[in-house]
Amino acid sequence: MNEGDENANDEAIESPVSAERIDRRLLELLVCPITKTTLEYDEANQELVSRKARLAFPIRRGVPHLLPGEARHLDDKRQS
Amino acid sequence: MSKELVQQQFGANAAAYLTSTVHAKGASLARLVKLVQPQGTWVALDVATGAGHTAAVFAPHVAKVVASDLTPEMLEQVKKLAAEKSLGNMETAIADAEALPFPDQSFDLVTCRIAPHHFPDIAKFLAEVRRVLKPGGTFALVDNVSPDSETTPGFTAAELSAAADGYNAFEKLRDPSHGRALPTAEWLQLMAKAGLKLVHTEHAPKGMDFQSWVKTMNVPADVVPRLAAMLDGASPALAAFLKPTNADGKRGFTLDELIAIARRA
């Protein structure tokens, strides 16, 4: 779960590749493609987590990949 | 299976779609904006955006456009296009047209242009379009259709059905990720069934240059003469639909785009 109110501008400055980061305004528009429930943004792992579907969807190069086939099951170990 | 094929085909040929004149400058693009009359407060979604041409043409008219596609390489092209045109209100997401990752009633406009002929389940796609549209929201569709009595009058139902199969086989031979181009009547039926109320339809014939058509999808050399033979050997109904030409060794044919505007009740 990500704690909401970081300053988006600060983030852009801190980030070495801000263009590669996901836009927070987009996050508000996204839900789980299967359950249509809210997603939690895991910034450290660059994943969008659907608790209900028990799936974590990857964010690659700032683009969320919301395909069930690309999601990691929450019970699986992360590979990194 | 076919979704993987779509990713393969478009992943490999993504750049060609950024520059494809049919996709970038197709007459239906400007026409679509005119018909839809987008408003500055709207949030729009362009499903199966490809290189993002439709999203980019709407972006200056609306508050925000989300451009979704199955293929990461295509969305890279979208980002390039957005940067080139300095469009700061375009977002991208990898999504399946039949399982959209957006909340109910979140968009004022959903567009989908020259893409559904790749979708395995159009009814499912339309149900998702209806779900994500706000009440009164607009769905704007452009897609290649196969022949029926509306595009190609004067033939029997059996002749037209065979011509439709022939047309889809022609497309599929060129692009294995082609699913099925629906005939117009089937589109209208499915939209009504999905709760999308039709407000306008028109057809836009699209003259195609055979060589560039083959080139966009990087068709193998041995397949090209087979495609040419399909044009030469077209049945009268298929020939009436495709209107093949062959002058000075330069082949051409005509495709038919359906433009349909519907509203969510």
Side-chain angles (χ1 to χ4, degrees), chain B residues 26-37 200 202 204 259 261:
Chain B
S28 61
L29 209 45
R31 182 72 187 137
L32 204 56
V33 176
K34 206 162 189 179
L35 288 170
V36 167
Q37 302 197 341
H200 179 86
E202 64 186 51
I259 305 178
I261 312 291

Side-chain angles (χ1 to χ4, degrees), chain B residues 17-79:
Chain B
Y17 273 81
L18 186 57
T19 52
S20 155
T21 43
V22 169
H23 291 80
K25 298 205 175 77
S28 61
L29 209 45
R31 182 72 187 137
L32 204 56
V33 176
K34 206 162 189 179
L35 288 170
V36 167
Q37 302 197 341
Q39 308 293 311
T41 54
W42 281 10
V43 179
L45 168 67
D46 186 34
V47 178
T49 194
H53 298 297
T54 306
V57 94
F58 278 97
H61 302 283
V62 298
K64 184 202 289 260
V65 182
V66 180
S68 77
D69 202 272
L70 205 52
T71 312
E73 289 86 346
M74 293 306 308
L75 291 186
E76 289 295 317
Q77 303 296 325
V78 176
K79 285 183 166 179

Side-chain angles (χ1 to χ4, degrees), chain B residues 80-127:
Chain B
K80 251 190 227 173
L81 187 68
E84 248 169 51
K85 295 183 181 268
S86 312
L87 296 168
N89 62 342
M90 273 171 69
E91 314 275 356
T92 58
I94 297 285
D96 185 333
E98 296 163 9
L100 293 173
F102 308 105
D104 296 2
Q105 306 191 8
S106 43
F107 294 99
D108 302 278
L109 169 67
V110 175
T111 53
C112 190
R113 182 170 169 266
I114 332 186
H117 57 265
H118 294 286
F119 301 169
D121 190 339
I122 303 251
K124 217 165 156 188
F125 159 63
L126 290 174

Side-chain angles (χ1 to χ4, degrees), chain B residues 211-226:
Chain B
Q211 275 313 323
S212 5
W213 180 73
V214 162
K215 220 171 139 190
T216 318
M217 266 301 170
N218 209 6
V219 173
D222 59 314
V223 173
V224 177
R226 288 169 60 200

